[in-house]
Amino acid sequence: MPSLLNLTTAWGLVREMDLQPLREQAARQPVLAIVGKPGSGRQALAAHLRRDPARPETEYAAPIYLPDLDEDDHLPQVDLYILLLKHKDLDDRIERDLVRKWVDAGVQVLVIINQPVETGSAGTSAASGGTEIALSSESSSLSVETWSAWGKQNVLVGSVEDDRFLISKFVPVVMRLLPQQIIALARHYPLFRVPVARHLINDSCFSNVAYSFTTGMIEIVPILNIPLNVADIFVLTKNQVFLVFKLGLALGMSTRLQAYLSAFGGVLGAGFFWRQVARMLVGLIPGFGILPKVGVTYAGTYVVGSAVLQWYLTGEHVSNEQIRQLYTQAYSMGRSLASKMRPRLPRLPAGRRKEAASQE
């Protein structure tokens, strides 16, 4: 009964986890201020921030400050200023002074030159130093090159009413500017939910692969095999429970893991069962090697994260057939990632390298 076994394990892990820092992090809403002249698109951008394009029927009434250019001094502490410029506006002296003030104060700033939506194009991106620019086929009346070279701010060009532009350009930049607040961003501003969830899944898969790869190198020594496999099962399962909790927070679920852990116990159980059997085979039977072990680790984590995300998007749990398909796909992805990671890992002594090579 792998599901029951892993659910019992998960409850034990929950009691050992200190989840309060994550709860507090998710509860603190990042303070966003969208600043601009009347007609610059502030209301439109705020409306998109409160709505997830994957679930347009759901809207979150997150408070967002929308001051005029002369009202920013009356705001509380702001985490990110988003300055909107109308693409046909030739006079941007006031905006430049504001950005200079915000940058000097150490506040993150994102500048968007707001253009009309272009049919069939979400714009392409180019980089200039530390600045990211989204260039569309229609040049802006404002000088993008001047803005990007003048300050330390990030500059984007596109329409704040275009979901494609927002998801592909705007969201990644904001996540990069506020890396310690991405869970809270997703929880309070639904536009970020799916991108942040995918980021968390990928990050957790990568972390578990790195851990598995490192212990896999050690497990080549036969005498260390069994204890490290048992330890791996515990550590990787704990990481997957953490992933479920972080995804729950980012996707607007309860702040109590107990409220929804049981809903995904079956998937956690399946992942645990596959990982347990496969890692025992990989670790104890000569000739299986490290890459299959890493593939199993990646696949188990990916399936767990994908199950939570699908539940958010569709309200339905993944079926057994979907789990098998996800697992097969993710296993190949994990092996490929392990192959790319291996050259970057510290080199083993010559004798150990020979042993490692013989195991693949």
Side-chain angles (χ1 to χ4, degrees):
M1 299 180 65
S3 298
L4 178 60
L5 175 61
N6 193 59
L7 189 55
T8 302
T9 303
W11 280 115
L13 292 173
V14 169
R15 288 194 294 269
E16 297 180 6
M17 292 178 178
D18 182 10
L19 301 177
Q20 191 56 31
L22 279 175
R23 290 193 187 98
E24 293 174 353
Q25 181 187 99
R28 183 194 177 277
Q29 177 178 319
V31 179
L32 306 183
I34 305 175
V35 186
K37 295 176 181 176
S40 59
R42 288 174 294 171
Q43 293 286 353
L45 179 55
H48 279 275
L49 284 168
R50 296 185 176 111
R51 182 179 58 84
D52 181 354
R55 294 182 62 180
E57 74 284 356
T58 302
E59 187 170 341
Y60 191 90
I64 302 171
Y65 293 102
L66 304 174
D68 291 329
L69 295 178
D70 58 351
E71 295 178 333
D72 72 294
D73 288 335
H74 305 293
L75 299 180
Q77 183 175 352
V78 173
D79 294 298
L80 173 66
Y81 279 104
I82 303 170
L83 176 65
L84 291 186
L85 299 165
K86 294 189 289 186
H87 78 290
K88 292 183 178 180
D89 200 342
L90 298 178
D91 185 0
D92 58 4
R93 289 172 295 177
I94 296 176
E95 288 89 340
R96 288 178 182 274
D97 289 340
L98 277 176
V99 170
R100 185 181 289 110
K101 180 180 71 172
W102 296 334
V103 170
D104 289 345
V107 182
Q108 296 288 5
V109 179
L110 171 59
V111 177
I112 301 177
I113 300 176
N114 189 20
Q115 295 193 135
V117 178
E118 293 186 29
T119 304
S121 174
T124 57
S125 64
S128 175
T131 302
E132 185 165 344
I133 311 167
L135 299 175
S136 67
S137 57
E138 177 186 348
S139 61
S140 172
S141 299
L142 293 167
S143 172
V144 178
E145 292 77 10
T146 300
W147 267 96
S148 62
W150 170 76
K152 299 178 182 179
Q153 74 286 347
N154 292 266
V155 180
L156 294 174
V157 181
S159 173
V160 298
E161 298 192 49
D162 182 355
D163 284 335
R164 294 170 301 169
F165 164 73
L166 293 175
I167 293 294
S168 65
K169 305 299 177 187
F170 172 76
V171 166
V173 172
V174 176
M175 289 173 61
R176 176 165 55 82
L177 292 175
L178 302 175
Q180 304 304 315
Q181 298 173 267
I182 61 170
I183 292 177
L185 272 171
R187 186 171 185 84
H188 296 283
Y189 303 102
L191 177 68
F192 293 88
R193 286 187 177 174
V194 173
V196 166
R198 290 186 172 137
H199 169 82
L200 292 173
I201 293 169
N202 291 336
D203 185 64
S204 185
C205 286
F206 183 86
S207 298
N208 279 356
V209 161
Y211 173 84
S212 182
F213 207 119
T214 303
T215 59
M217 299 297 285
I218 300 172
E219 287 166 7
I220 293 169
V221 181
I223 196 171
L224 296 180
N225 244 344
I226 294 176
L228 281 176
N229 271 288
V230 173
D232 286 354
I233 289 170
F234 180 85
V235 171
L236 296 174
T237 301
K238 187 172 184 177
N239 289 348
Q240 289 184 3
V241 174
F242 259 118
L243 172 61
V244 170
F245 185 59
K246 289 190 287 188
L247 286 172
L249 293 176
L251 296 173
M253 300 181 195
S254 170
T255 58
R256 295 178 65 252
L257 181 59
Q258 295 88 332
Y260 52 83
L261 179 60
S262 58
F264 305 107
V267 180
L268 283 167
F272 177 88
F273 176 74
W274 284 327
R275 186 170 59 251
Q276 184 185 41
V277 173
R279 287 186 67 81
M280 283 194 297
L281 289 174
V282 170
L284 300 177
I285 299 178
F288 269 70
I290 296 169
L291 297 189
K293 177 178 296 188
V294 174
V296 168
T297 299
Y298 184 98
T301 307
Y302 184 85
V303 167
V304 169
S306 298
V308 178
L309 181 55
Q310 174 164 313
W311 182 86
Y312 168 77
L313 292 174
T314 67
E316 299 178 357
H317 292 294
V318 290
S319 66
N320 290 335
E321 179 59 30
Q322 288 174 317
I323 288 177
R324 283 191 289 270
Q325 292 175 358
L326 283 170
Y327 187 85
T328 300
Q329 175 188 2
Y331 176 79
S332 298
M333 293 164 60
R335 284 194 57 137
S336 175
L337 178 60
S339 298
K340 295 176 182 178
M341 286 179 60
R342 182 165 186 174
R344 291 181 284 172
L345 293 175
R347 292 178 63 82
L348 292 171
R352 294 286 299 283
R353 289 202 301 272
K354 185 175 180 180
E355 273 187 289
S358 69
Q359 291 286 310
E360 297 187 1

